[in-house]
């Protein structure tokens, strides 16, 4: 599954972005909706998307701020996404008596739909290019810290001017082409989201970790939510209708979703950092966390229920990073990247390069220097600013309260970006959510984090000794978690509204811990912003201009969790000399379960055994296509040229894990649930005919 893993976001923020030429590698491209691949589609498929077609698909697409994508699929606010995108929300509303993540959920009426905790959905309404405004804020001769501050202030100003909390309009300035362009995205924001349907986890993730990123697959990885306003389902002007015929081999297919982050045009220096330092370090952390949660979850069913979704995400991330590292260790792929960089270097050194770009070759050295600094600070940065050394929701809440008290008195443009005026409503919504936080799991996670902090910085490090306060990591974790009140939403609201006086006066042990580590944490963040991000931003922007000069303007930016359009054809591939078909069927599901003795991750839910005879076993179940996707595309609709739903993205195969760095459609495939399988299961397995009928409106 293509899953989010929020703890890794801090490290990901240090990655560089650039632009990608698309002439040579098949159906490559994660295209902006305001710069769609019209020429490529016309030349290869004789298809010309109209402005109305693009607007309809854009406004039918949904971003889950918890990580993932979705789409409106009825006029009554029904949203389709993956079970694994919904998993965290199912987990939040579960109880010891009702485990919706494990057993599934079906609301027979609107009144039965369960309200989510802390979930925000965004629908992109408009895109405006604000490049000139942002760039004009940075004056010649500014130092990197001055440039960073000036740019952030201008971005905050633009976002504040476009946001409208009264009408639930969110505004984000999106950095594209490594700072070559800035676009203002305005969204309609929804926060009353209710769960309508989810199958059992056992069928949503059939095959479990053994089949994860593999193909053929047999997963019903789907879920449905409904969006409300004023306690009533919204009425959608834009929603995707269902295809009567599903999909067929060779058909042109489109994916509209929010790919998280790609690094396809990183320089060789940056790729070497990821290969030699970044990915091995991430894998070390993931392995540690996986062992910790497996051990704790294995002690009881209750424990596993509480940590299952975290464990699931960690396992998925571990396998994804292993695949990415494998790509970086592949001489063929790395050689391709070296050849691409040499081509650009040669162009810049030639007489063909515009005179104003002759000095752009120095950008490679700037990036190499920044990567050395990044390698130097990544461990303490991850421990402190990334929060890995205090791995708990309680610490994250405490630090947010502390920083809010210090940042909010400042002008919006001078704050840490997450506290800018335009972002405050979403931050506050998340902060004050009443989602459950389990004290016993918090103690286990924090104890492991403190141990990790000690072994990373060293037990004799002054800050480590101050943090532990003369206690073992386990005893200190118990003291902090049992003593803090930050897990109480009313306490959080009181401190947030009360500002610095309230936060300082609370003397909460977890807030005081955050206060203790914040000076060093902020220092590392500032160093990352000024010595890594800002120099790389300018260097990559120069290289972006050089690529424009070399290859023209038919390029797309690296993924940034902003809405993108991808396209491809539905087709299988060859693996180890064997043909892998484009489609699997429901009959294949039962065969796969039987060959694995219907045990472990291959065990079918009881109702699937009991109602097998009702199914048309020839119904297509999962299928693959060549569309260009990456993490964040989970839950994206797959549509045909008419804009009708033919599938639901939920995975990529193992060969697709290199797509972070380079596109290939030789074997890499996006994996989807077939639209016909969704209808067949809703009607014949789950008795959810009204929901199936709603999809057909």
């Amino acid at each position: 599954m293509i899953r989010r893993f929020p703890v890794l976001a801090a490290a990901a923020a240090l990655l560089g972005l650039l632009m990608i030429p698309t002439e040579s590698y098949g159906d490559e491209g994660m295209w902006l909706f305001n710069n769609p691949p019209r020429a490529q589609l016309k030349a290869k498929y004789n298809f010309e998307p109209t402005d109305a077609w693009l607007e309809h698909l854009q406004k039918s697409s949904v971003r889950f701020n918890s990580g993932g994508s979705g789409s409106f699929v009825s006029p009554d606010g029904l949203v389709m996404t993956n079970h694994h995108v919904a998993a965290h929300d199912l987990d939040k509303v579960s109880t010891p008596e009702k485990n919706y993540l494990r057993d599934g959920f079906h609301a027979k009426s609107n009144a039965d739909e369960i309200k989510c905790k802390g979930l925000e959905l965004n629908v992109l309404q408009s895109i405006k290019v604000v490049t000139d405004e942002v760039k004009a804020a940075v004056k010649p001769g500014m130092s990197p810290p001055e440039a960073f501050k000036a740019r952030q202030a201008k971005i905050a100003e633009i976002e504040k001017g476009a946001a409208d909390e009264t009408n639930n309009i969110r505004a984000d300035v999106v950095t594209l082409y490594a700072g070559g362009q800035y676009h203002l995205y305005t969204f309609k924001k929804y926060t009353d989201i209710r769960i309508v349907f989810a199958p059992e986890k056992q069928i949503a993730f059939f095959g479990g970790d053994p089949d994860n990123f593999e193909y053929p697959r047999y997963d019903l990885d789907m879920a449905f939510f409904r969006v409300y306003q004023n306690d009533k389902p919204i009425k959608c002007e834009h929603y995707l209708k269902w295809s009567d015929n599903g999909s067929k081999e060779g058909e042109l297919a489109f994916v509209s979703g929010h790919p998280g982050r790609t690094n396809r045009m990183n320089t060789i220096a940056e790729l070497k950092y990821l290969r030699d330092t970044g990915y091995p370090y991430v894998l070390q952390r993931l392995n540690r966390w996986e062992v910790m949660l497996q051990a704790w979850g294995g002690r009881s069913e209750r424990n596993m229920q509480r940590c299952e979704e975290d464990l699931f995400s960690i396992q998925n991330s571990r396998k994804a990073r292993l695949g990415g590292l494998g790509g970086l260790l592949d001489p063929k792929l790395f050689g391709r990247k070296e050849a691409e960089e040499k081509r650009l270097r040669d162009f810049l050194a030639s007489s063909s390069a515009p005179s104003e770009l002759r000095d752009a070759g120095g950008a490679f050295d700037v990036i190499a220097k920044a990567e050395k600094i990044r390698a130097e600070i990544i461990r303490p940065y991850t421990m402190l600013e990334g929060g890995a050394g205090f791995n708990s929701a309680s610490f994250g809440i405490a630090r947010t309260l502390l920083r809010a008290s210090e940042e909010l008195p400042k002008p919006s443009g001078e704050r840490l970006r997450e506290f800018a005026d335009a972002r405050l409503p979403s931050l506050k919504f998340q902060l004050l959510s009443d989602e459950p936080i389990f004290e016993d799991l918090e103690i286990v996670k924090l104890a492991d984090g403190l141990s990790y902090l000690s072994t990373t910085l060293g037990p004799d490090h002054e800050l480590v000794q101050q943090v532990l306060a003369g206690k073992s990591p386990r005893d200190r974790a118990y003291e902090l978690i049992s003593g803090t009140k930050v897990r109480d939403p009313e306490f959080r609201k009181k401190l947030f509204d009360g500002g610095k006086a309230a936060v300082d006066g609370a003397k909460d042990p977890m807030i005081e811990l955050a206060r203790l580590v914040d000076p060093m944490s902020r220092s590392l963040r500032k160093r990352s912003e000024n010595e890594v991000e800002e120099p790389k931003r300018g260097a990559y922007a120069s290289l972006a201009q050089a690529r424009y000069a070399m290859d023209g303007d038919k390029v797309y930016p690296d993924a940034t969790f902003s809405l993108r359009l991808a396209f491809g054809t539905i087709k299988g591939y060859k693996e180890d000399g064997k043909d892998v078909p484009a489609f699997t069927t429901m009959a294949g599901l039962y065969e796969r379960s039987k060959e694995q003795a219907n045990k472990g991750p291959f065990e079918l839910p009881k109702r699937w055994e009991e109602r097998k005879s009702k199914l048309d076993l020839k119904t297509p179940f999962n299928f693959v296509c060549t569309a260009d996707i990456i993490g964040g595309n989970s839950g994206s609709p797959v549509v045909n040229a008419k804009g009708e739903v033919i599938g639901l993205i939920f995975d990529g195969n193992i060969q697709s894990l290199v797509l972070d760095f380079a596109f290939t459609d030789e074997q890499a495939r996006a994996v989807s649930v077939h639209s016909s399988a969704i209808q067949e299961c809703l009607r014949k397995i789950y008795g959810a005919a009204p929901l199936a009928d709603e999809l057909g409106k």
Side-chain angles (χ1 to χ4, degrees):
M1 310 281 170
I2 308 167
R3 281 185 174 72
R4 66 192 182 281
F5 190 49
V7 182
L8 303 178
L14 297 180
L15 299 175
L17 308 173
L18 231 154
M19 51 185 55
I20 294 87
T22 61
E23 275 71 28
S24 303
Y25 299 106
D27 295 329
E28 179 176 356
M30 299 173 184
W31 296 89
L32 301 171
F33 269 74
N34 57 337
N35 183 29
R38 298 181 190 272
Q40 291 88 328
L41 288 169
K42 174 64 174 175
K44 188 170 183 179
Y45 296 106
N46 196 31
F47 177 75
E48 298 181 76
T50 65
D51 290 343
W53 187 93
L54 290 163
E55 181 186 14
H56 179 66
L57 185 55
Q58 171 189 312
K59 293 182 177 179
S60 298
S61 301
V62 175
R63 181 176 73 178
F64 280 68
N65 267 16
S66 54
S69 302
S71 58
F72 287 119
V73 287
S74 93
D76 297 315
L78 190 68
V79 171
M80 177 177 69
T81 189
N82 290 147
H83 182 278
H84 76 259
V85 173
H88 195 46
D89 299 290
L90 291 165
D91 195 32
K92 288 178 187 177
V93 300
S94 291
T95 66
E97 297 75 30
K98 294 183 178 180
N99 188 334
Y100 297 123
L101 177 59
R102 181 192 64 200
D103 301 330
F105 174 76
H106 177 199
K108 301 293 180 65
S109 68
N110 289 156
D112 297 326
E113 295 170 0
I114 301 177
K115 189 170 183 178
C116 296
K117 298 175 181 291
L119 177 62
E120 178 183 314
L121 301 186
N122 300 147
V123 181
L124 180 61
Q125 301 298 302
S126 66
I127 305 172
K128 178 184 177 182
V129 179
V130 293
T131 305
D132 291 344
E133 296 173 58
V134 175
K135 288 189 172 182
V138 179
K139 307 301 182 184
M142 280 186 169
S143 66
E146 291 170 336
F148 183 87
K149 184 177 180 179
R151 184 183 297 103
Q152 293 305 105
K154 175 55 68 172
I155 287 173
E157 177 187 322
I158 293 170
E159 290 176 340
K160 183 177 181 180
D164 183 350
E165 186 175 359
T166 302
N167 293 305
N168 294 314
I169 299 298
R170 172 176 174 148
D172 294 342
V173 171
V174 178
T175 302
L176 300 166
Y177 305 109
Q181 291 185 16
Y182 296 88
H183 292 186
L184 173 64
Y185 280 44
T186 55
F187 302 90
K188 183 69 174 180
K189 179 177 67 176
Y190 298 99
T191 54
D192 187 352
I193 317 299
R194 306 186 190 183
I195 301 169
V196 176
F197 177 87
E200 308 90 337
K201 180 184 174 184
Q202 195 70 10
I203 194 64
F205 193 42
F206 179 82
D209 195 52
D211 276 3
N212 196 11
F213 295 116
E214 303 293 343
Y215 192 78
R217 293 294 292 278
Y218 307 93
D219 289 31
L220 190 67
D221 195 352
M222 68 170 189
F224 292 93
F225 293 80
R226 197 180 304 279
V227 177
Y228 282 71
Q229 257 189 332
N230 301 320
D231 210 34
K232 295 180 180 179
I234 67 169
K235 295 297 180 182
C236 297
E237 177 185 355
H238 296 281
Y239 66 93
L240 301 176
K241 295 186 177 181
W242 218 254
S243 168
D244 292 333
N245 302 314
S247 57
K248 60 183 179 181
E249 190 153 8
E251 183 177 9
L252 175 62
F254 296 88
V255 176
S256 177
H258 302 81
R261 189 174 295 277
T262 53
N263 306 285
R264 293 183 181 173
M265 288 309 295
N266 284 359
T267 65
I268 294 301
E270 188 152 8
L271 292 178
K272 286 182 176 179
Y273 162 82
L274 292 172
R275 182 193 66 189
D276 303 339
T277 303
Y279 272 24
Y281 182 49
V282 167
L283 284 165
Q284 180 189 60
R285 285 185 286 141
L286 290 173
N287 288 331
R288 180 190 184 101
W289 290 338
E290 184 176 356
V291 170
M292 179 262 294
L293 289 179
Q294 280 180 329
W296 188 79
R299 293 174 189 166
S300 70
E301 184 176 349
R302 186 200 66 169
N303 283 9
M304 183 55 72
Q305 182 180 352
R306 291 182 172 184
C307 75
E308 186 174 17
E309 217 274 316
D310 278 350
L311 176 60
F312 200 28
S313 294
I314 289 168
Q315 290 173 327
N316 186 78
S317 295
R318 180 253 304 157
K319 197 166 185 179
R321 296 311 185 279
L322 279 172
L325 181 59
L328 290 173
L329 293 171
D330 179 0
K332 182 178 179 182
L333 183 143
F334 211 82
R336 172 178 158 185
K337 306 304 294 184
E338 289 175 325
E340 290 172 356
E341 181 165 311
K342 183 178 184 302
R343 176 172 171 261
L344 182 58
R345 286 177 178 270
D346 289 346
F347 171 76
L348 289 171
S350 73
S351 58
S352 302
S355 57
E356 64 271 19
L357 294 177
R358 295 288 170 81
D359 294 333
F364 292 104
D365 294 332
V366 171
I367 294 168
K369 180 180 178 181
E371 289 307 305
K372 289 181 179 179
I373 296 171
R374 183 182 177 196
E376 175 187 333
I377 68 173
I378 191 61
R379 285 171 174 79
Y381 179 96
T382 303
M383 287 294 108
L384 301 178
E385 182 62 21
F390 312 93
N391 182 22
S392 62
S394 300
F395 177 81
I397 291 168
R399 181 162 67 180
T400 299
L401 289 169
L402 174 69
R403 288 186 171 179
S405 74
E406 296 172 346
E407 294 295 313
L408 294 185
K410 304 175 184 177
S412 178
E414 296 180 13
R415 301 172 195 159
L416 297 176
R417 189 178 184 189
E418 59 267 30
F419 294 98
D421 283 342
R423 296 171 182 266
L424 272 181
S426 292
L427 181 145
K428 190 173 180 180
F429 176 69
Q430 294 289 334
L431 178 67
L432 302 183
S433 168
D434 63 349
E435 63 185 78
I437 303 171
F438 302 109
E439 182 174 328
D440 51 356
L441 179 56
E442 287 284 280
I443 292 171
V444 170
K445 291 171 65 176
L446 180 57
D448 182 75
L450 293 175
S451 296
Y452 199 18
L453 177 74
S454 299
T455 56
T456 300
L457 300 186
D460 295 329
H461 193 287
E462 181 181 0
L463 183 61
V464 172
Q465 292 189 346
Q466 291 173 341
V467 165
L468 292 178
K471 298 178 177 64
S472 70
R474 175 73 186 194
D475 288 344
R476 181 63 167 144
Y478 174 78
E479 179 181 67
L480 289 163
I481 297 298
S482 63
T484 186
K485 296 180 181 179
V486 300
R487 294 190 299 283
D488 178 359
E490 290 301 318
F491 179 75
R492 299 200 293 265
K493 185 176 189 306
K494 178 182 176 181
L495 295 195
F496 187 87
D497 292 344
K500 184 171 176 57
V503 171
D504 291 349
K507 301 301 180 183
D508 184 273
M510 192 64 77
I511 294 176
E512 295 310 307
L513 174 67
R515 191 189 309 277
L516 173 65
V517 303
D518 214 41
M520 186 175 293
S521 181
R522 283 177 177 262
S523 175
L524 287 163
R525 175 169 173 162
K526 187 174 182 179
R527 192 173 178 199
S528 173
E529 291 171 346
N530 294 337
E531 298 181 45
V532 180
E533 294 178 39
E534 188 61 31
K536 283 170 59 176
R537 189 191 307 273
Y540 273 121
S542 295
L543 295 180
Q545 294 175 4
R547 287 194 175 277
Y548 267 127
M550 183 174 69
D551 292 326
D553 61 358
K554 295 179 181 179
V555 292
Y556 66 94
D558 259 315
T560 56
F561 198 45
S562 51
L563 186 64
R564 302 297 179 90
L565 179 69
F567 65 91
T569 54
I570 297 170
K571 67 177 182 179
Y573 56 98
K574 280 188 176 293
E575 184 176 8
D576 298 330
K578 298 178 181 179
D579 289 324
V580 179
F583 297 90
T584 63
T585 65
M586 291 196 163
L589 166 71
Y590 288 95
E591 292 167 5
R592 179 73 168 138
S593 178
K594 183 179 179 180
E595 72 183 19
Q596 297 295 327
N598 195 30
K599 292 182 179 179
F602 302 96
E603 181 180 359
L604 289 168
K606 184 177 179 181
R607 76 179 95 194
W608 281 76
E609 293 279 17
E610 295 173 343
R611 301 174 189 179
K612 176 181 177 181
S613 62
K614 297 178 180 293
L615 293 170
D616 178 356
L617 296 179
K618 295 180 182 178
T619 303
F621 200 172
N622 295 164
F623 69 92
V624 291
C625 69
T626 62
D628 193 356
I629 68 161
I630 197 72
N633 273 118
S634 287
S636 299
V638 187
V639 302
N640 58 22
K642 296 179 182 179
E644 300 169 332
V645 173
I646 59 175
L648 172 65
I649 291 289
F650 74 93
D651 203 358
N653 63 359
I654 196 75
Q655 293 89 345
S656 73
L657 293 178
V658 300
L659 296 186
D660 191 9
F661 306 107
F663 180 81
T664 171
D665 62 4
E666 182 179 352
Q667 291 183 317
R669 293 291 184 273
V671 187
S672 302
V673 185
H674 197 283
S675 58
S676 297
I678 294 174
Q679 286 278 359
E680 183 80 359
C681 298
L682 287 175
R683 296 182 187 279
K684 298 179 181 179
I685 297 291
Y686 296 101
L691 178 57
D693 291 341
E694 186 174 354
L695 299 175
K697 286 184 180 181

